[in-house]
Structures are given as C-alpha cells and as structure tokens.
Amino acid sequence: MEAETADRPRPVPRTRAFWIDALLVAFVAAVAGWLIGEARQWSAPFRASVEVDLSPSALPGYALRSLARGCAAYVVSFAITIAYGTWAARSARAERVLIPLLDLLQGIPVLGFLPGLVLGMIALFPSTSLGLELACVLMIVTGQAWNMVFAYYGSVRSVSKELKDIARVHRFTPRQYFGKVELSTSMIPLVWNSMISMASGWFFLNVNESFQLEGRDFRLPGLGSYMSVAIERGDGAAQVWAVLAMILMILATDQLLWRPLVAWSYNFTVDEASGAPPPRSWVLDLLRRSAFAEWRRRREERRLQPLLAARPASRLVPPSGGAPDEDAAPSATPRPSALRKILIRAAVLGAALFGLVGAWRVSELLARVDAAGWIEVLVSVSLTFLRIVGALAISLAWTLPVGLWIGSRPRLVKVLSPVVQTAAAFPAPMIFPLVVAALLALRVDFSWGCAVLMTLGAQWYLLFNIIAGAASIPQELRQIADVYRLGGFARWRRLELPAIFPHLVTGLVTAAGGAWNACIVTEYVRLEGGRTLRTRGLGALLSEATAAGDFALLAASICGMSLAIVALNRFLWKRLYTLAETRYGLAA
C-alpha cells in the first residue's frame, strides 16, 4: 500500500476514474465472452484430424486458443503448487518423499506423460474435443508446475522466526497462518517463478498441440500446430507470421498480466531496507486510480481503523515481556485437525494403491524389453547426459558474468528484466529450424550441435536465478568490499560467487531438469518437407517410441532416465544444496 501524505487519501478525478472503470468493465466482458467461446470449442464434436489454416488472418484465433490452454494449465499448476508445497513444507515425513519425487517429475519429458494422458482422456470423453483439450492442458502443466512448487516450498520453509513468533502470539488458526504468513511471504517468488513456469509451458507448444501416437494425428488448432504445419510444408512466410504472433502474445500477457502482478506482489515485501525501487506497472497504476479501487481502499481503511485504535499492546508483546509463551500459544506451524488427518491418510493410501497398480503395469511392459533394448536405453541416457553437461557449461559460461553484472545494478534489473522475461517466454523450438540450418552451414555435427539447442531451453533458469542472487546481496557486504578495495576476480571469489551460490545451485538443478525435458525436441527435430534430423539419445528414442506406439520401450526409457535423475539428485544436487545451506547461506 502506498503511504499517503495526508490523513485522507488524495481525491481521484471523477471523469478519469469513471473512464477507467468503463474500460475495466469492457475488458471483463470481453474476457468472459472469450471464455464462453472457448468452452463451446471444447464441447465441439471430436474430429480425428484438424485442418490448420496457414493464412495470417487465422493467427489471432489460434493465439487466443493457445493462450486459453496456457491459462487453464496455470490455474491447475497453481492449485498443485499450493497443495503439494504446503504438504511438503509442513510434514517432515511427506517431505522425505515429495521433494525427491518432485526432482524426478520435473526431469521426465512431456512425452513420458503424453500417451497415457491422451488415450485416457479420449476414452473418458470419446464424443467431444474435451478429452484432447484436457490432455493438452495437463501436458502443459507438466512443464509449468514443478518450478512453481519449488519456489513456494522454499519460501514456506524459509519463513523467519519473527513471523512465526507473531503467529504464535496472535494464536493464528491454520487458515490465518496460511493466508497471512505462508502465502504472503511467498507471493513475490511465486509470481516471479510463475512467469518462468508459463515460459516453460510455451516451450513445448509445438509438441502439445500437434503430436502423433501410433500413426494417429492428434492435432489441436493453435499457434503450436500452426508452426508445426508451416515447418512441415516449408512455408517460410507462415513461420515468420507465427513467430511475430507469438512475440505479440507474450508482450501482451506481460503487460496486461505479469507486470501488474509483479508490481502488486511487492505489497507483501518483508525487507523494506533494500533501497531498490519497487517495480511499477502502468496497468496497475490505472487500476489504482479507478473509482472501484478508491471505494475498496476507503472501505478497508474504515474497517481497520477501529481495530488499530483499540488494539492493546499486550496482544503484540508476551505478558512476560520476553519470548512468547510456548505453553500458552499454539505451534507456529498449524497442526492438522483429526478430520484432516483422516483425509490425508486416505489420500496417501489411495496414492499408494494407485502407485502399486501403476508399478505392476509398468513391470509388465518392462518384461517385454529384451537385452538389446536395455543396452540402447543405457547408451541413449549416457549420450543425453553428456549433452546436458555441455548445455549447462555453455549456459553457465555466459549467464554467470551477465547475471552478476545485471543483478548488481538495480537500474539494469528494472530495465532489462522485461527483456529477459520476454526472451525466456518465447518457445525456442519455433526457431530450431533456423538454428539447425546455421549449425549445418557451419558443418557442426548434429550429435553435438543439439547441445546448443538444449542451451536455448536451459539458459534462462540460470540467468533468472543468478540475477536474483546478485540483486539480493546485502548492501552492507558491498560496502565492506568497497572499503577493502575488492575488485575484479577477487570481488567475484570473495563476495559475489559465495553470496549467489545457493541461487546458482537452484538454477543448475532447474536448468538440468529443463534440459532433460528438452531432449525430446532437440535430439529429434522436424524440418521442412517432413524431413527429420535425429541423433542417438534419449529424446530421439522417446520420440520414435511414442510415434510407433512402442509402450514397452517408452516405459524402459522413462525408467532409465528416472534412475539417472535419482542418482544425480542423490550424489550431486543434494550435496551441493547441503553445501549451500551450511557454508554459503547468508542467513546461516
């Protein structure tokens, strides 16, 4: 909330306020009409194949269809984030299972979920397009949810002791603790990581809207299918129009949705001493000048004024004047009620039974894979792992100096953050044909050139986290470094690299997960005229097994990849996280 310079808020010009309200009503009505139109499309009769119109006039409708699927997937991802993250943060038992499972899920490519989702949803809704639309939305969720869950879980786990003491003294109910402490303190990282997760969902737009299974073409009208058909037909003009439409859609959602949310989320900031100005949004500034916002602000002030005036000092400070009374106040982290415990146990039991049935079905599929198939899986996983290491090295080589340079300058963070976010949100597979053409022109072997394609999907996770880590370095430490005249490499080694190390580890983990996920579109690239470039690796194996309907080989590939991810988490990422917490954490 902005601080007012007088006892009463400044008056809002009526003409301007009513104009803004009229525009707001028109916008809400347009969004409602758009959602109703999308609902009608989802309930339309199911068609085995969809003809994609490559004329530029069809692009606005396709862009809105893709946007609707992305927004629907975000709503589902947000619900998963709150439920999954809260459960993992509040329960030590659940944490030991849920967090390793989360590491595993974020690395499984979208094609690992695709066959079951598509066939299952079409079986549930055989007569309408709802099943195929839901399958597409849920596949987008598999690219969105994991990063948001990590951000929310980390924020809840890092709630300060002071806030927990305040919640204990005021005897917050579980609902109050969730809304006033957990959700409020995690709002800023949750909004920022929501932007990254939305970009991750766009990354696989071509695959999600235009995929094949057992020789059948499951295609939905949208920007992804438009670009896929344009590449197959070699229509360069249509590809350019698709890229321009994607850029315009990203810019529009950034200005109308994400920028206002980012600026609004800074109302929940805890540290007021950072010195950096909070971000602003012209859309949020207009909304704050509307008559509706003014009425709501005055109504909130009238509601809070009697409470603030009548609040006794004893409610803020324990009667003893010292630490809060542990016996007289509940735990800072709310404990579930008896009914909730029963529901949680029932959910765990149901999940366990579902897992056992799934494991039995998977074991039946794995029994069909011969020794040659397992050798191929092992070699493919190894080659993909080497390419991921190369992609992370390439990404780190440029994101580390650039991220430190941007993050240490608040003005650059403010100016360049929207540019970086727009670049990150653009689905890299749309420009893969151009990158592949450049690699072939330079005579780069595609078996290693595809590591460059992986870099396009992994680099943004590192850049975002490095910028965030550099921007969060306390000003006092920078001043101490200036006093001791630390500069150049010495400043990097003694201040900046140790300070950003926890953020760097998080960026490496999420970037590696993104690279594992991106292997399906980097090791098996479709070019003009139906021509494909493939190299031996896990992504190509998954793509070919999915197209052929070879579920046994698909299951073996996913299991081999899962074992590799678990081994990495156990022997590398977990040790780096421990090192970050015990040696390089600023709050340690």
Side-chain angles (χ1 to χ4, degrees):
M1 299 293 291
E2 296 87 357
E4 298 291 343
T5 58
D7 293 336
R8 292 186 177 182
R10 293 187 299 269
V12 178
R14 291 290 104 189
T15 55
R16 190 175 185 183
F18 285 130
W19 173 77
I20 295 173
D21 285 319
L23 186 62
L24 181 61
V25 170
F27 179 76
V28 172
V31 171
W34 168 51
L35 293 177
I36 293 173
E38 288 300 318
R40 290 177 179 174
Q41 293 288 341
W42 284 29
S43 60
F46 176 74
R47 289 180 290 176
S49 62
V50 175
E51 185 66 26
V52 177
D53 184 5
L54 292 185
S55 62
S57 60
L59 277 173
Y62 287 161
L64 290 177
R65 296 292 300 273
S66 297
L67 181 60
R69 297 183 187 109
C71 292
Y74 177 77
V75 172
V76 177
S77 299
F78 187 84
I80 293 174
T81 296
I82 298 301
Y84 199 103
T86 302
W87 190 10
R90 291 187 180 183
S91 172
R93 289 183 179 179
E95 181 185 27
R96 288 194 289 268
V97 176
L98 295 180
I99 297 305
L101 180 62
L102 191 65
D103 289 331
L104 180 61
L105 289 174
Q106 78 159 348
I108 296 179
V110 66
L111 286 183
F113 303 97
L114 184 148
L117 281 176
V118 172
L119 297 179
M121 290 299 171
I122 291 179
L124 287 176
F125 306 97
S127 59
T128 66
S129 299
L130 181 60
L132 201 55
E133 292 281 0
L134 288 177
C136 182
V137 168
L138 292 177
M139 283 190 291
I140 297 175
V141 169
T142 62
Q144 284 184 352
W146 321 130
N147 184 61
M148 293 170 59
V149 174
F150 270 122
Y152 178 73
Y153 163 79
S155 298
V156 173
R157 290 283 297 178
S158 61
V159 172
S160 65
K161 183 178 182 299
E162 291 79 8
L163 289 179
K164 292 181 179 180
D165 289 341
I166 292 173
R168 185 181 298 113
V169 169
H170 285 275
R171 300 179 182 273
F172 281 3
T173 64
R175 181 178 298 179
Q176 289 175 326
Y177 185 82
F178 166 75
K180 297 181 183 297
V181 178
E182 293 178 335
L183 192 59
S184 296
T185 56
S186 64
M187 190 58 64
I188 294 177
L190 188 56
V191 170
W192 279 99
N193 282 275
S194 293
M195 299 171 67
I196 305 175
S197 295
M198 199 74 171
S200 300
W202 295 135
F203 188 88
F204 294 99
L205 195 61
N206 290 23
V207 178
N208 292 333
E209 293 183 346
S210 182
F211 48 87
Q212 295 179 344
L213 181 63
E214 293 183 309
R216 299 174 62 187
D217 186 11
F218 297 97
R219 185 171 293 169
L220 291 169
L223 278 180
S225 57
Y226 184 99
M227 190 64 171
S228 178
V229 173
I231 293 174
E232 290 176 1
R233 297 180 183 177
D235 193 334
Q239 295 177 41
V240 173
W241 281 115
V243 170
L244 292 176
M246 191 72 207
I247 293 174
L248 290 176
M249 185 179 72
I250 291 171
L251 291 175
T253 53
D254 178 74
Q255 292 297 314
L256 298 178
L257 178 63
W258 296 120
R259 287 287 98 196
L261 282 177
V262 168
W264 170 80
S265 68
Y266 274 74
N267 291 328
F268 299 92
T269 186
V270 177
D271 183 13
E272 301 287 351
S274 61
R280 296 189 62 180
S281 165
W282 63 271
V283 173
L284 188 61
D285 290 341
L286 283 178
L287 292 177
R288 284 171 172 168
R289 296 190 188 104
S290 67
F292 174 76
E294 181 68 16
W295 169 80
R296 196 168 181 272
R297 185 160 48 241
R298 291 183 177 181
R299 181 173 177 268
E300 190 71 13
E301 289 175 354
R302 287 195 298 267
R303 186 181 69 86
L304 292 177
Q305 190 172 5
L307 297 176
L308 294 174
R311 184 173 56 184
S314 59
R315 291 292 302 278
L316 294 176
V317 182
S320 61
D325 187 357
E326 299 288 344
D327 297 331
S331 172
T333 303
R335 296 179 180 179
S337 60
L339 178 60
R340 187 173 298 180
K341 287 182 178 179
I342 294 176
L343 293 177
I344 290 175
R345 290 174 181 174
V348 171
L349 180 60
L353 292 176
F354 180 80
L356 288 175
V357 173
W360 176 258
R361 296 288 179 88
V362 170
S363 65
E364 291 180 340
L365 291 174
L366 296 179
R368 305 177 190 173
V369 182
D370 55 12
W374 283 111
I375 293 175
E376 180 63 25
V377 169
L378 178 62
V379 173
S380 298
V381 171
S382 302
L383 291 174
T384 299
F385 171 74
L386 292 177
R387 296 187 185 107
I388 289 174
V389 172
L392 292 180
I394 296 172
S395 301
L396 193 61
W398 80 268
T399 57
L400 184 58
V402 172
L404 286 173
W405 180 65
I406 295 175
S408 59
R409 294 164 174 81
R411 291 184 179 180
L412 283 179
V413 173
K414 184 178 180 180
V415 172
L416 295 181
S417 287
V419 178
V420 174
Q421 290 151 14
T422 302
F426 186 83
M430 279 192 170
I431 61 172
F432 276 3
L434 298 177
V435 180
V436 170
L439 292 174
L440 295 179
L442 295 173
R443 300 181 182 275
V444 177
D445 189 354
F446 183 70
S447 62
W448 293 108
C450 60
V452 177
L453 302 181
M454 287 184 182
T455 303
L456 297 177
Q459 59 190 353
W460 305 113
Y461 295 99
L462 273 170
L463 184 60
F464 270 110
N465 281 277
I466 292 172
I467 291 176
S472 64
I473 297 176
Q475 193 64 27
E476 293 80 0
L477 293 181
R478 296 187 184 277
Q479 292 172 355
I480 292 173
D482 293 336
V483 169
Y484 284 95
R485 298 181 180 180
L486 290 179
F489 182 74
R491 191 181 185 94
W492 272 36
R493 185 171 62 90
R494 294 184 178 274
L495 172 63
E496 294 178 339
L497 289 181
I500 70 166
F501 188 76
H503 295 82
L504 184 61
V505 173
T506 301
L508 285 170
V509 172
T510 53
W516 278 111
N517 220 324
C519 69
I520 60 173
V521 291
T522 57
E523 296 178 344
Y524 190 88
V525 181
R526 295 181 180 178
L527 301 176
E528 299 177 359
R531 178 184 170 216
T532 59
L533 281 180
R534 75 174 301 277
T535 184
R536 197 176 187 185
L538 182 67
L541 193 64
L542 283 168
S543 298
E544 293 177 342
T546 301
D550 190 344
F551 295 105
L553 185 59
L554 182 65
S557 302
I558 295 297
C559 288
M561 179 182 178
S562 301
L563 291 175
I565 294 175
V566 170
L568 279 175
N569 291 337
R570 178 67 179 84
F571 297 106
L572 179 60
W573 303 131
K574 186 175 181 180
R575 295 184 180 183
L576 288 178
Y577 266 125
T578 302
L579 183 63
E581 292 176 359
T582 57
R583 184 171 180 179
Y584 294 108
L586 291 177

